[in-house]
Structures are given as C-alpha cells and as structure tokens.
Amino acid sequence: MSYAGPDPDDFDECYRGDAPQEGRRPGRRAVLVTLAALVPTALAGWLVFQAVSGPGESEPPRVLPAPGTSSSTTPSPTGSARPTDGSPSASATPSKKPSHKPSEPAGAGDGPLAGKVVVIDPGHNPGNFRHTADINQSVNVGNASKECDTTGTSTNSGYTEATFTLDVARRMRAILERQGATVKFTQDGTRAWGPCVDERAQIGNKAHADAVVSVHADGSAAGNRGFHVILPASVHAGGADTRPIVAASKDLGERIAGRFVQVTGQPPSNYIGGGTGLDTRSDLGGLNMSTVPKVFIECGNMRDSQDAGRLTSGSWRQKAAEGISEGIVSFLRR
C-alpha cells in the first residue's frame, strides 16, 4: 500500500517420450493386466494436476483439510471473476474462462467454517490510475477526511499492487470456500475504480462478517523488507467507533502474522513494527469505519528487489494466500 501512486505509464500489466515399458514375466499375466489398467489412471491424475497447478508453479498449492480428513483438491491459482456488490462469490472450481454469473460458493455450508462469513478486501483497483479525479474525492473516516482511494504502488518492473492483491485474494477465496466459509469481496477487478475506503468498510459491516482482511503490498525504500499486519487503534470520533473491535482485530492480526511467517518464510518488517510484524494505526478509513474484526496485511515491499522477487512469484503468492487463510481459520475456530 502506498499513497504515492506510480506514473500511469508504468502500469503495463506484468501478466505476462514414451511411457516406460513393463518387464515381461511369464506366468504373471494377471499382474500385467492390473498394471495396464493403472497406467491410464495415473496419467489422467497427472494431467489433472498439471491443469490445476498451471504453468510456472514450482509446487502444488496446499489446501487446508477439515479435521480428520485429507484433501486432494487444489485451489485455483487465479480464481474466476465474481460479482463486486458483496454477494457470495461463485464456485472456486478452477477454470481458464472467468465466469461473471454469481452462484453459491462451492464450500458454503459444508466444512469447519460453515456459517462463517469472511470478507476479503483486495487493496486498490487496477483501474484506479485511470480515474484519479474519482479516487481523489474526499471521504469521512471518522477522525479525519481522506482520499477515496489511491492507485497503490508497483515493483520497479511495473507489476502493480492492485494486480498482486487480486491474485492473492482469489487464491484465499478458493482455500476458505473449501473450508465451508462464505467469502465476499469488496471488489473483484470488474468495476472501473474503487470502491472508496469507507464503502470497503461498509461492505464488511453489511455482511456481518466474522473477519475482514484487506490485502496490500507496501511501497517503501529499497532495503526495507518484510511484512506487517496493521491493527485498528481505538478510535471514537465522528461516525467511527472501533472500540468494540480492537481486541478481536488484534487477535485476528496476531494469528495471521504467526501463520504468515511459518508458511511463507517472509520475515516481519525491518522498518515498521519494531520486529513484531504488527502496527497499530488510527488513520485508515477501512479500519476506522469497520464495525467487525478487521486488519490489513502488507505482504512485502514492492520496491525492494528481494521482496519483489517473492511478490511476483505465483508459487509464493499461493503461500501468502495459505498463510493469511490459516490465520483466519485459526481466528474463526478459536
């Protein structure tokens, strides 16, 4: 997250043998028949794995299994387009063609998180830089007035924060839906810009979310590395009153920070939070206007080459999604 957006010209998208022969053994025809039947099955399973994991992934994504069960389903690396009005997201079944038709989440109502509502807030919007007049409008955040939204930051090579946050958010949705949660987004890249920070908070409030996480990446100086989780300060001013959610939000943030370190290997920030990976702020409208437990996570510094190498890696973004999701699961099952 950065409040000094990169130049629009920098916002180019960065998306940018024969089978082994079985040895013949006379008198063992039954064994050969059995092996012949297993080969197509194994090949089919390998093809399914390749289709799900996608190109460029160095390892299969991990899915959180329900207690006492094992999971063989792999979450979609990119997800598919969902409605942006806060309605339940569509099925997380991997597909190369995004679907814009809302439907019941694949895991809703079935699993350890059945009945739980999670709102994921992908920071910024890929179209914000085309709508600077709109995002610069002032909104009330309780104790101050701030701009509606910002463009976010990017890596030195042009990979944008808005692109990063959407990708991680979609991976999180796939994981959490398979745990039975109902997952809603504040935006899924289908609207031209925004929403404003106060509207992002309202989406979580109206959903009566059990947890809200806003996904970001920082734009600090080179050499500043690591992640940090932003917690809401106690704010009681104007239309903001975070006092009822401060304790629960801190619990959510601490659990996410702990799991994020374990799963991603990303160190806590060396420039914010005094090495704890936690930071408390009173100036963020998305936190100030929330009435449900909510935190921000800055997954790394896009302007540092070492962090940027992780943030631009699809396999690492999967780990980031897993780490954040594990923290959410831990909080919701406490």
Side-chain angles (χ1 to χ4, degrees):
M1 176 172 63
S2 171
Y3 294 106
D7 189 281
D9 293 334
D10 293 334
F11 275 78
D12 294 334
E13 297 289 337
C14 284
Y15 300 112
R16 316 197 4 108
D18 293 336
Q21 298 296 317
E22 300 290 344
R24 295 187 178 181
R25 302 179 63 182
R28 304 302 296 274
R29 181 178 180 182
V31 174
L32 291 176
V33 170
T34 301
L35 291 175
L38 290 175
V39 169
T41 303
L43 178 59
W46 180 83
L47 291 174
V48 169
F49 167 74
Q50 291 297 314
V52 171
S53 61
E57 297 295 339
S58 60
E59 58 186 74
R62 178 173 58 182
V63 179
L64 301 174
T69 65
S70 61
S71 173
S72 60
T73 306
T74 304
S76 167
T78 57
S80 56
R82 306 303 206 276
T84 60
D85 58 0
S87 59
S89 59
S91 169
T93 301
S95 172
K96 294 183 179 180
K97 295 182 180 179
S99 169
H100 297 276
K101 297 180 180 180
S103 62
E104 192 68 19
D110 182 21
L113 297 187
K116 300 295 185 180
V117 177
V118 177
V119 171
I120 304 175
D121 178 29
H124 312 289
N125 183 311
N128 274 1
F129 76 95
R130 299 188 186 94
H131 296 269
T132 54
D134 295 308
I135 67 172
N136 285 336
Q137 62 183 298
S138 181
V139 298
N140 185 282
V141 298
N143 58 0
S145 292
K146 296 196 70 173
E147 61 268 46
C148 158
D149 201 1
T150 68
T151 59
T153 187
S154 70
T155 65
N156 293 331
S157 62
Y159 181 75
T160 68
E161 180 184 2
T163 298
F164 169 82
T165 63
L166 273 173
D167 184 70
V168 172
R170 288 167 178 164
R171 294 169 187 263
M172 289 172 58
R173 174 169 56 197
I175 295 168
L176 293 168
E177 284 182 349
R178 288 187 173 90
Q179 291 286 295
T182 295
V183 180
K184 304 182 180 185
F185 273 24
T186 57
Q187 61 91 16
D188 199 1
T190 57
R191 56 185 290 166
W193 57 276
C196 296
V197 293
D198 56 341
E199 183 184 351
R200 290 173 186 263
Q202 290 165 10
I203 291 170
N205 298 344
K206 291 177 181 178
H208 302 289
D210 296 287
V212 184
V213 176
S214 188
V215 181
H216 287 267
D218 210 358
S220 187
N224 290 341
R225 288 204 59 219
F227 80 94
H228 63 279
V229 177
I230 305 176
L231 313 175
S234 181
V235 175
H236 184 210
D241 186 2
T242 63
R243 292 175 299 176
I245 67 165
V246 166
S249 297
K250 182 180 179 182
D251 185 21
L252 172 63
E254 289 175 343
R255 291 170 187 266
I256 289 175
R259 296 302 199 278
F260 198 78
V261 168
Q262 294 172 5
V263 177
T264 67
Q266 180 79 326
S269 171
N270 63 6
Y271 62 101
I272 290 177
T276 65
L278 301 173
D279 184 36
T280 301
R281 290 176 60 172
S282 63
D283 63 324
L284 298 178
L287 294 180
N288 287 2
M289 305 306 289
S290 182
T291 59
V292 294
K294 182 175 182 178
V295 299
F296 281 44
I297 180 166
E298 301 279 359
C299 297
N301 176 20
M302 301 196 92
R303 295 295 186 175
D304 176 79
S305 60
Q306 198 168 352
D307 271 8
R310 292 185 167 188
L311 298 170
T312 55
S313 163
S315 59
W316 189 86
R317 290 195 300 273
Q318 181 64 32
K319 291 179 181 178
E322 290 167 358
I324 300 170
S325 297
E326 287 188 12
I328 294 172
V329 171
S330 173
F331 173 75
L332 294 180
R333 300 189 66 199
R334 70 196 189 284

